[in-house]
Amino acid sequence: MNDESPEPKKLSPKSALSSSYNLPTIVAVLCVGFHHRNGPQLEYAIPRFPLSNPASFSTPTEDSRDLGELTPILPDEWSILPFLCLPDGAHMVEFEEFIYFHLPPIPRWSPHVDSSLFGLACFRQMDSNNLINKTKDVTRSMVQKAVVVLARHPILGSLRSKLGLVTHAFFEQRDFEKREILDNFYEALTTSVTGYIPDSTLYMAFSLRDLIYQFKSKTLQLFKLLLLEKRVLFFGQKVEKLSAYQYAVVSLIPGLLRSLGDAASPILSSTEEINTPTEPTNEKDYKYGLPLRIFGEGCFFQPYIPLQQIDVLMSPTTRSFLVGTSNAIFTHHKGCNIDVVVNVDTGMIEIMDPVLTNILNLTPADRKFIEDITKSVTATWINEEDPSMNTQIDFEGSDDDIRGRFELYLLSLIKSVLPTSPSATTPPVSQSPPPEHEQQQPVRDYISEFNSQFVKAWKATANYAIWKDKVTANPDGMEILIPGHPNAGASTLAAMQLNWAAKIQEMGLDKTFFVARKEVTKALTGAEKVVRDIAADPKAAAQGTGNAVTNWFSSLRTGWTTPSATTSTETSPTITTRPLEDKPDQPHDYLEVVLESDHKLNLDIPK
């Protein structure tokens, strides 16, 4: 093959997708380790990478002989790979850590690697004193390695458990020179993971229920941020959580997980459609102009980004990004120019760009939409460490239910913002105006239901322009859609109540007010019983009302009075009742309730 590297070409995910189903889904299984002098480095690859020149694998050196065989040399496009597999603070990992990441294509390896690749690394470490075969390059007290799988599709969530078992077995050998287990793992994957990938496999290990439970109403803001192509950073200590939440948000847009061919680098660009009706994808999405082209030229998606890749965020060619990190340097580096920081540990969103505050405000209809979803999740949530326990539920509140509701939201949005043909609203010149009672009603403002400022900002994005061109060229598919917000008609008062409820829960005040709310509920229940008894049997109530009212006021006194430091001699008020005989003309009997001879309460009791 030619030694010279040609200029990066404009990749076509359409052609890549068409051919990738005929190619093995699994590209390679790797082993990455931490070297005492070189830092993270690739130690083993099965199969070996294509040779672009004789120097693609290093000649034997003292270090490489210590490793047992020739050390593979990575292409320049993948020089960052070892740092992706060993996360920041790896020495603090107690058991194991899973890292999701993306790699750009290698043009000279086409068609083997002609689109973004998806990687999953399982990192572990062990005490070097426990090794059976301790090579010369092991000079530290701990040995750190990661077993990695590279695939052509984001199916790695479905391989997570298998990768964890293989990595565990690899370490249990206590001899990292024995790599037959990695060879067997690669052969097993290439034979079992083939052909078309169903949606259920793509969505595995990315829980929407977990996303909703953690971020509540902010999930809809994350969804809108994705449409706006902003510079979004997910930050947290658990690297796997970072990746899972990002993939969960991406999966809310129909078909987008299948269309990440340009996601691994901001310099990639597609010139052809991502999906065609002949592909084994959802034809419905194609008719509606979906998936939206969120990631393309100038847009970058890296579920986990190490510090060595910070220059990509600072590059002038990077217009927007969706990345995750556990390194706080990213959050403070002004050169990254971050718009929003999403803290996955606290479930909070910090908006760095003040302009975005009003754009991301949720309308009453938005709040009703996301609160309905949140309630369905929290009502069926199980506090278990095993996330699979939260998948064993009925449809309401499940991942499929959540994904279906967000799909309806997106379809309603794109129908509402779709430009209307003038001929559809303007009558012909020769047509006489209709009678007054048949005149057209005022046009409903669909856009304001989604937040007019948000819609205006979305219309300025590249993905909106691409979508508009597609649906304008093929408008027939949009006719079946109905414009308007799925939760149109939600009142402002209801939205304020939902907003206050959400804020009280975030501040933890719901627990503080629990005791007071319990006592108020108890008092009101007692009062309601008194009134109900009076209405049911007036004469019997006339005899027992005094006792009921006395008990009610006593319960109020007991529940609301704060005990003092000294013993109080204050007693309950004296309550007596007697019929009023000075109102014989009234259609009802009256009871006069006397409290401490100072206050009177007249209860009107129907006969």
Side-chain angles (χ1 to χ4, degrees):
M1 300 179 64
N2 193 348
D3 293 351
E4 297 182 359
S5 301
E7 296 181 359
K9 66 176 182 177
K10 302 289 186 179
L11 293 179
S12 168
K14 172 189 172 184
S15 58
L17 182 64
S18 303
S19 60
S20 63
Y21 289 115
N22 299 322
L23 294 172
T25 301
I26 304 301
V27 175
V29 171
L30 317 173
C31 179
V32 174
F34 187 89
H35 192 270
H36 64 283
R37 285 204 303 264
N38 303 332
Q41 69 177 19
L42 178 64
E43 296 179 350
Y44 186 71
I46 178 68
R48 286 194 172 188
F49 296 146
L51 300 179
S52 58
N53 57 65
S56 288
F57 284 81
S58 62
T59 55
T61 63
E62 181 178 356
D63 288 337
S64 66
R65 281 193 294 269
D66 290 341
L67 293 175
E69 60 180 84
L70 301 182
T71 303
I73 298 297
L74 288 167
D76 293 339
E77 294 87 344
W78 289 2
S79 60
I80 200 70
L81 188 151
F83 299 94
L84 292 167
C85 302
L86 302 181
D88 293 323
H91 61 282
M92 300 177 62
V93 176
E94 296 181 359
F95 179 58
E96 66 181 3
E97 183 71 280
F98 290 88
I99 308 103
Y100 295 81
F101 59 89
H102 299 159
L103 289 174
I106 309 297
R108 59 184 176 276
W109 288 1
S110 182
H112 300 286
V113 185
D114 57 359
S115 185
S116 297
L117 291 186
F118 305 90
L120 174 60
C122 180
F123 166 83
R124 294 176 71 104
Q125 60 182 346
M126 68 179 299
D127 193 322
S128 60
N129 293 325
N130 294 330
L131 290 175
I132 297 176
N133 181 14
K134 190 173 182 179
T135 55
K136 294 181 180 180
D137 65 305
V138 179
T139 60
R140 297 160 58 99
S141 60
M142 300 297 291
V143 178
Q144 301 172 337
K145 294 186 185 294
V147 178
V148 189
V149 177
L150 299 182
R152 290 186 171 85
H153 307 288
I155 61 166
L156 299 168
S158 62
L159 304 179
R160 179 188 181 280
S161 59
K162 295 179 181 179
L163 177 59
L165 292 174
V166 169
T167 306
H168 175 73
F170 186 48
F171 272 72
E172 284 296 310
Q173 295 180 134
R174 294 187 294 166
D175 183 358
F176 295 113
E177 294 298 301
K178 296 181 179 180
R179 296 166 180 159
E180 293 82 1
I181 189 173
L182 303 183
D183 297 342
N184 296 334
F185 184 42
Y186 171 76
E187 293 177 2
L189 290 179
T190 54
T191 55
S192 62
V193 185
T194 59
Y196 176 71
I197 308 299
D199 289 344
S200 58
T201 302
L202 290 176
Y203 298 147
M204 193 173 296
F206 309 136
S207 172
L208 292 181
R209 284 174 55 79
D210 193 8
L211 177 72
I212 295 290
Y213 190 80
Q214 179 70 358
F215 291 99
K216 306 296 189 299
S217 61
K218 298 180 185 66
T219 307
L220 184 55
Q221 292 179 311
L222 295 176
F223 178 77
K224 288 188 171 184
L225 279 170
L226 190 61
L227 298 182
L228 294 175
E229 298 180 5
K230 295 301 179 180
R231 303 168 70 90
V232 182
L233 175 74
F234 277 65
F235 174 77
Q237 299 304 315
K238 194 69 174 174
V239 175
E240 185 178 9
K241 279 286 186 184
L242 294 172
S243 306
Y245 284 141
Q246 292 173 76
Y247 271 117
V249 174
V250 170
S251 72
L252 291 174
I253 297 181
L256 186 55
L257 277 180
R258 297 185 182 277
S259 309
L260 299 178
D262 288 342
S265 173
I267 65 174
L268 300 177
S269 177
S270 302
T271 57
E272 299 183 48
E273 294 182 3
I274 296 179
N275 289 334
T276 66
T278 58
E279 296 294 345
T281 54
N282 198 331
E283 295 186 12
K284 171 173 60 66
D285 295 342
Y286 175 78
K287 291 192 301 183
Y288 302 150
L290 301 177
L292 297 175
R293 188 72 61 80
I294 302 296
F295 304 108
E297 187 173 6
C299 300
F300 179 51
F301 177 25
Q302 185 65 289
Y304 170 71
I305 183 171
L307 187 60
Q308 289 76 9
Q309 215 172 7
I310 194 173
D311 59 314
V312 179
L313 306 187
M314 301 170 61
S315 172
T317 61
T318 305
R319 186 179 70 257
S320 68
F321 54 74
L322 174 64
V323 298
T325 185
S326 58
N327 195 323
I329 293 179
F330 284 88
T331 62
H332 303 124
H333 201 294
K334 294 183 179 180
C336 295
N337 196 22
I338 298 171
D339 293 326
V340 175
V341 176
V342 182
N343 192 315
V344 302
D345 297 329
T346 63
M348 303 300 292
I349 297 178
E350 183 180 2
I351 300 177
M352 315 298 289
D353 184 0
V355 178
L356 278 176
T357 302
N358 292 332
I359 295 177
L360 292 177
N361 279 341
L362 301 182
T363 65
D366 280 344
R367 290 202 172 276
K368 183 65 168 62
F369 168 80
I370 191 61
E371 286 300 330
D372 286 347
I373 297 177
T374 302
K375 288 179 180 178
S376 67
V377 171
T378 55
T380 56
W381 186 260
I382 304 174
N383 288 318
E384 296 284 350
E385 295 183 0
D386 183 5
S388 63
M389 293 295 295
N390 276 294
T391 62
Q392 302 173 15
I393 60 172
D394 296 331
F395 178 75
E396 185 175 2
S398 65
D399 276 24
D400 290 337
D401 178 32
I402 298 170
R403 190 169 286 109
R405 296 197 202 190
F406 270 91
E407 180 178 352
L408 175 61
Y409 183 95
L410 180 60
L411 295 179
S412 301
L413 171 64
I414 62 178
K415 179 63 176 180
S416 300
V417 303
L418 185 66
T420 305
S421 173
S423 60
T425 57
T426 305
V429 178
S430 59
Q431 180 178 346
S432 59
E436 183 176 353
H437 67 280
E438 295 182 2
Q439 289 184 1
Q440 187 176 6
Q441 297 295 324
V443 178
R444 176 178 160 188
D445 185 9
Y446 297 120
I447 292 179
S448 63
E449 298 170 354
F450 296 93
N451 186 341
S452 301
Q453 295 187 55
F454 160 72
V455 173
K456 181 180 179 181
W458 180 44
K459 287 184 175 181
T461 62
N463 74 81
Y464 175 84
I466 296 173
W467 169 81
K468 181 181 176 182
D469 290 341
K470 288 195 291 185
V471 298
T472 302
N474 184 27
D476 296 338
M478 301 292 293
E479 294 179 355
I480 194 175
L481 299 180
I482 300 176
H485 199 289
N487 290 82
S491 66
T492 303
L493 178 60
M496 292 175 61
Q497 293 174 340
L498 293 174
N499 189 24
W500 276 106
K503 290 184 179 297
I504 287 175
Q505 188 175 21
E506 290 175 3
M507 298 171 64
L509 297 180
D510 55 333
K511 298 179 180 179
T512 305
F513 293 151
F514 175 76
V515 177
R517 184 170 68 247
K518 182 179 179 181
E519 295 300 333
V520 171
T521 303
K522 180 180 178 181
L524 293 178
T525 302
E528 181 184 4
K529 184 178 184 302
V530 171
V531 176
R532 189 166 56 246
D533 292 344
I534 292 174
D537 193 348
K539 293 184 178 180
Q543 299 175 358
T545 301
N547 295 332
V549 175
T550 301
N551 293 335
W552 176 43
F553 276 96
S554 298
S555 67
L556 292 179
R557 184 178 182 80
T558 303
W560 293 351
T561 302
T562 304
S564 59
T566 61
T567 303
S568 175
T569 59
E570 185 179 358
T571 59
S572 301
T574 302
I575 302 176
T576 60
T577 63
R578 60 176 178 269
L580 292 181
E581 301 177 355
D582 57 343
K583 297 183 180 181
D585 299 333
Q586 298 298 328
H588 302 88
D589 288 337
Y590 283 81
L591 291 178
E592 182 181 16
V593 182
V594 183
L595 308 179
E596 298 180 338
S597 302
D598 293 330
H599 305 281
K600 295 181 180 181
L601 173 64
N602 293 335
L603 299 180
D604 186 9
I605 306 172
K607 289 183 178 179

